[in-house]
Amino acid sequence: MTLREDDAGVSVLPRQFPTNRGGLCQKGWTSAELLDHPDRLTTPLLRDPVTGELRPATWDAALDRVASGLRAIQDSSGRDAVAVFGGGGLTNEKAYALGKFARVALRTRNIDYNGRFCMSSAAAAGLRAFGVDRGLPFPLSDLGRADTLLLVGANPAETMPPLVRWLTEQRRGGGQLIVVDPRVTATARQADLHLQPLPGTDLAVANALLHIALTEGWVDQAYVAERTNGFDAVRRSVAAWWPARAEQLSGVPVADLEATARALGTGGRVIILTARGAEQHAKGVDTVSAYVNLALALGLPGREGSGYGCLTGQGNGQGGREHGQKADQLPGYRKIDDPAAREHVAGVWGVPADDLPGPGVPAYQLLDSLGTADGPRALLVFGSNPVVSAPRAARIEGRLRDLDLLVVADLLLSETAALADVVLPTAQWAEEDGTMTNLEGRVLRRRALRPPPPGVRTDLAILADLAARLAPDQEAATVAAARFPVDPATVFAELRRASAGGVADYAGIDWARIDDADGVFWPCPSEDGPDTPRLFADRFGTPDGRARFHAVDHRPAAEEVCATYPLHFTTGRVLAQYQSGTQTRRVAALRRAAPEAFVELHPDLAARLGIDDGDPVRVTSRRGELRAPARLSAGIRPDTVFAPFHWPGAGRANSVTNDAVDPISGMPEFKICAVRVEKA
Ligand SMILES: Nc1nc2c(c(=O)[nH]1)N[C@H]1C(S)=C(S)[C@@H](COP(=O)(O)OP(=O)(O)OC[C@H]3O[C@@H](n4cnc5c(=O)[nH]c(N)nc54)[C@H](O)[C@@H]3O)O[C@H]1N2
Ligand SMILES: Nc1nc2c(c(=O)[nH]1)N[C@H]1C(S)=C(S)[C@@H](COP(=O)(O)OP(=O)(O)OC[C@H]3O[C@@H](n4cnc5c(=O)[nH]c(N)nc54)[C@H](O)[C@@H]3O)O[C@H]1N2
Ligand SMILES: [Mo]
């Protein structure tokens, strides 16, 4: 998009670009409203020890309070007693600086970010199969040319509207769209075939699809032999997934499984995509692996116009997970426990490799340890609102309250900021330069239109100020300030060096090149060499270049329905609200379009429970309850209820969700738990 500023204020205009071709969603057009919003924070806030209220303070007072608090906590409880929580909406430069700040200025191992709640299961599955985690290993426009497109747990008509043009183009060209979702969503309505499984049964569905493909002889044996390892174990494990068994578990009719397998197995160009519906489970990694197995068995990855991909979430969901705000990671998608990676990055940072901490713990584990006997006593939050978005949120809210020091940098007083001891007002998207990396691994520019309002600092400036204040003496403060430049271009130049030689190699990318080429795809190791719009044509990112199958089996959800909690509860999004809603709940047009939380349930279920459309209902799980009006819809399974997670307070869906996590990715089980529903 492009921005224009005139007497009427800032307007957002769509721009012809290869990914969206001039399309923007409502949240995009209205985003400029937040620039001058009356709720905008323009001064730091400090909690008054006497009244307990947040009061305006000077930057000096606020930063001194943070620095002295962090120092005291680290002196008494060790370096790891300070934790950092980042966000996938931060630019690459900020995500990089935040990771460096944690490891170099705080020297804590405890950093993680909200992306753990997002694509982490697909990232882990992609990494173990392909040796590389890039949302799409091919350009988005490939979707428009696919003969068969399978979307598993994705509702892009509401969550990525500009992508819908590719779906439209695909069907116009005679392609088939198949959607797997427990609800008839705006996306499912456009599909040629809609599979409506019980939440949490996607893995069984995938194994049955592969079972059918094997039986019918649609497996690409030559590809399996030449390009992959480990198929035998998968062949054995899917043998037990005859379609009738998957039907019994998922409710998807055998005929639909067969039709899907046929479309995938006999189509020319075939793309399989997963999103949060498949991934946000305590078996999310295995579920994605089951779809990756299917794609590999059919010989799709690396074949032009075909493949497996994961639809990314936040604005910088991809780049945010490449440059070091993940607990186990250093810039360039390097592993923090790899000695060579530590040497390289420590060299760029000008510190001894031994000084770098080791891996920390994933987001939920981190949040759940805050303020406990062995857990961190202080937390710095940049770009997330876990009071609304974390699973089992009431418990996490309690953990945040137990901290000695909570510091939140935000543009608005989010529900998490409202709990903080110190709130630091920060710049937003149109007020600073930087880069973001989209789901295609395409690095893009984000340009500043104007400076932040008076009194507001950028995240980079806040980190630099804090680093200097944390230094023991004046000399060290000068060194520390130089280590944390506030100019994003300088940070990007350093990020390029830090990522050089890593999986996500940005060494050859500079801002001018991004401008000239409508974005640059990583890996791009040299300035005069090519970038990489397509991965896997000849080899995968594994040491031997071959993709790896993983035999995976269905297992039940972490919490199963019972007499007390007889219904399945799942969560997701609506078109007009974004995430925890801090930003979109403040935009009038979006509030009109989606004013409040709701609980979607089937009319038959509602009738059984004596609930009419619009009645207030209570959804109760073992962890808590949600109250919101009922919205009756014949498009949802009668055994499942759905709520969006964008609202705080009584309508908070995450009061109900389960905090079970995937053992590999740490992804929480946002998409299924057991509940009881009654009229409130
Ligand atoms: N309007 C809007 N757009 C957004 C966002 C937003 O908050 N609002 N957030 C952005 C972010 S960060 C993300 S991660 C993406 C998410 O994008 P999506 O993954 O498309 O969004 P969700 O609504 O979380 O989940 C998709 C679908 O999964 C279905 N589902 C639930 N349980 C299951 C299950 O067990 N199996 C299957 N197959 N499906 C299931 C839900 O019914 C839902 O329709 O959206 C991005 N875009
Ligand atoms: N039940 C349920 N829960 C879910 C999900 C689900 O499907 N179901 N989805 C999960 C997913 S996929 C995600 S991604 C998370 C997202 O949930 P959150 O991590 O809470 O994401 P946001 O609501 O986008 O919060 C971003 C915060 O940062 C602020 N902010 C924006 N830009 C900047 C910036 O540049 N700097 C700073 N310092 N702050 C900034 C915003 O004002 C906002 O308060 O929610 C997860 N929670
Ligand atoms: Mo996300």
Side-chain angles (χ1 to χ4, degrees):
M1 62 197 203
T2 50
L3 298 174
R4 194 180 56 206
E5 186 167 26
D6 53 28
D7 295 344
V10 177
S11 22
V12 178
L13 307 167
R15 173 183 162 214
Q16 278 300 327
F17 195 78
T19 46
N20 64 340
R21 296 232 188 113
L24 261 187
C25 82
Q26 194 182 10
K27 298 186 295 309
W29 320 316
T30 55
S31 51
E33 263 186 54
L34 288 176
L35 294 172
D36 301 311
H37 197 280
D39 288 354
R40 185 79 196 268
L41 298 171
T42 53
T43 168
L45 303 173
L46 270 182
R47 192 163 299 282
D48 185 312
V50 181
T51 65
E53 277 166 21
L54 282 172
R55 295 196 176 287
T58 63
W59 275 99
D60 272 338
L63 294 169
D64 281 342
R65 169 88 221 310
V66 177
S68 62
L70 297 179
R71 227 184 287 118
I73 288 167
Q74 288 194 315
D75 285 348
S76 63
S77 309
R79 294 200 180 98
D80 293 339
V82 172
V84 178
F85 201 80
L90 302 179
T91 58
N92 290 322
E93 291 77 6
K94 298 199 282 189
Y96 170 84
L98 194 65
K100 179 179 175 186
F101 179 82
R103 275 63 175 247
V104 174
L106 296 170
R107 295 182 61 192
T108 176
R109 70 186 184 101
N110 282 320
I111 175 168
D112 211 55
Y113 80 123
N114 69 4
R116 191 67 74 167
F117 298 163
C118 193
M119 289 145 295
S120 62
S121 290
L127 217 49
R128 74 178 181 179
F130 306 124
V132 180
D133 154 38
R134 198 178 90 180
L136 301 183
F138 45 75
L140 193 62
S141 51
D142 279 13
L143 303 190
R145 297 188 301 136
D147 295 306
T148 301
L149 184 55
L150 178 69
L151 292 180
V152 189
N155 183 16
E158 295 204 63
T159 57
M160 217 182 271
L163 183 145
V164 172
R165 70 177 52 243
W166 301 115
L167 305 186
T168 310
E169 189 168 310
Q170 187 240 355
R171 272 163 311 123
R172 217 177 270 145
Q176 226 194 119
L177 174 67
I178 307 176
V179 170
V180 186
D181 197 303
R183 303 183 302 135
V184 184
T185 59
T187 311
R189 272 198 291 277
Q190 305 183 19
D192 300 287
L193 181 58
H194 174 208
L195 313 186
Q196 206 170 352
L198 184 70
T201 61
D202 301 277
L203 200 168
V205 168
N207 278 357
L209 294 174
L210 182 48
H211 177 107
I212 298 168
L214 269 163
T215 313
E216 298 291 334
W218 293 326
V219 168
D220 187 338
Q221 300 292 353
Y223 176 100
V224 168
E226 283 158 29
R227 302 213 50 189
T228 71
N229 288 329
F231 186 56
D232 281 345
V234 170
R235 184 206 313 271
R236 281 195 299 276
S237 73
V238 303
W241 282 101
W242 53 93
R245 184 174 168 215
E247 170 177 331
Q248 207 178 20
L249 194 79
S250 67
V252 178
V254 168
D256 287 352
L257 293 170
E258 284 172 350
T260 303
R262 176 175 300 277
L264 297 171
T266 63
R269 288 186 295 254
V270 175
I271 295 178
I272 299 176
L273 299 176
T274 63
R276 305 308 86 73
E279 299 160 12
Q280 289 174 325
H281 292 275
K283 55 173 177 295
V285 177
D286 283 354
T287 300
V288 174
S289 288
Y291 285 94
V292 169
N293 288 343
L294 181 62
L296 286 171
L298 298 174
L300 309 180
R303 197 209 292 168
E304 171 115 17
S306 294
Y308 162 80
C310 146
L311 290 176
T312 304
Q314 302 173 78
N316 197 26
Q318 179 70 42
R321 68 180 189 266
E322 297 168 357
H323 299 296
Q325 46 174 346
K326 227 170 161 177
D328 55 354
Q329 194 193 65
L330 289 173
Y333 224 127
R334 288 185 160 91
K335 298 290 285 178
I336 202 168
D337 54 7
D338 167 6
R342 293 170 66 87
E343 275 305 330
H344 172 82
V345 174
V348 174
W349 289 349
V351 298
D354 286 345
D355 281 5
L356 297 180
V361 296
Y364 186 76
Q365 203 182 328
L366 178 63
L367 293 174
D368 193 30
S369 70
L370 298 173
T372 60
D374 314 314
R377 312 232 43 97
L379 178 73
L380 306 176
V381 180
F382 283 80
S384 183
N385 185 14
V387 167
V388 177
S389 58
R392 201 173 185 181
R395 177 175 165 118
I396 295 308
E397 193 176 332
R399 297 285 191 236
L400 293 168
R401 287 180 196 279
D402 287 345
L403 286 166
D404 296 337
L405 179 62
L406 174 62
V407 181
V408 177
D410 206 304
L411 29 135
L412 296 158
L413 194 69
S414 71
E415 287 69 23
T416 305
L419 295 184
D421 301 291
V422 185
V423 181
L424 302 172
T426 193
Q428 57 177 313
W429 54 281
E431 298 161 355
E432 56 186 342
D433 283 312
T435 60
M436 322 268 268
T437 304
N438 79 355
L439 75 168
E440 308 165 286
R442 188 198 300 249
V443 186
L444 305 164
R445 278 287 300 284
R446 195 176 82 176
R447 285 176 195 75
L449 172 73
R450 59 182 196 186
V456 169
R457 295 190 186 175
T458 65
D459 293 303
L460 290 177
I462 293 171
L463 294 176
D465 286 340
L466 282 177
R469 278 180 164 78
L470 286 167
D473 53 47
Q474 191 50 49
E475 197 184 329
T478 312
V479 173
R483 264 201 189 120
F484 291 94
V486 298
D487 167 37
T490 311
V491 178
F492 189 75
E494 186 183 306
L495 179 160
R496 289 172 60 187
R497 286 189 288 122
S499 75
V503 174
D505 191 331
Y506 283 42
I509 306 177
D510 65 39
W511 287 9
R513 183 168 176 182
I514 296 174
D515 291 344
D516 290 347
D518 276 344
V520 180
F521 296 83
W522 68 254
C524 179
S526 83
E527 269 176 33
D528 39 5
D531 66 342
T532 319
R534 288 173 196 285
L535 292 168
F536 312 149
D538 310 311
R539 67 189 315 276
F540 293 97
T542 52
D544 63 2
R546 296 161 76 93
R548 291 175 293 222
F549 281 95
H550 288 85
V552 289
D553 209 353
H554 169 78
R555 52 185 191 268
E559 181 179 66
E560 294 191 273
V561 293
C562 61
T564 320
Y565 302 103
L567 293 165
H568 304 277
F569 179 65
T570 191
T571 62
R573 295 160 162 81
V574 297
L575 178 66
Q577 295 290 346
Y578 185 67
Q579 316 275 60
S580 74
T582 315
Q583 298 173 92
T584 46
R585 280 185 275 115
R586 288 180 165 87
V587 175
L590 300 177
R591 210 168 43 235
R592 272 196 301 280
E596 58 179 353
F598 61 87
V599 177
E600 183 178 307
L601 69 171
H602 194 277
D604 292 350
L605 173 64
R608 198 149 59 71
L609 299 171
I611 293 168
D612 280 329
D613 196 42
D615 278 353
V617 295
R618 180 166 58 228
V619 179
T620 313
S621 74
R622 287 185 178 82
R623 293 151 299 277
E625 63 172 48
L626 137 73
R627 283 164 188 259
R631 188 177 289 182
L632 302 199
S633 160
I636 187 166
R637 295 174 54 108
D639 55 6
T640 301
V641 293
F642 167 88
F645 78 99
H646 310 293
W647 286 272
R652 181 171 69 182
N654 276 320
S655 299
V656 172
T657 49
N658 193 351
D659 58 350
V661 297
D662 185 285
I664 299 169
S665 65
M667 170 72 91
E669 190 142 86
F670 287 120
K671 290 290 193 263
I672 185 169
C673 71
V675 297
R676 179 173 74 235
V677 176
E678 58 229 314
K679 199 161 158 171

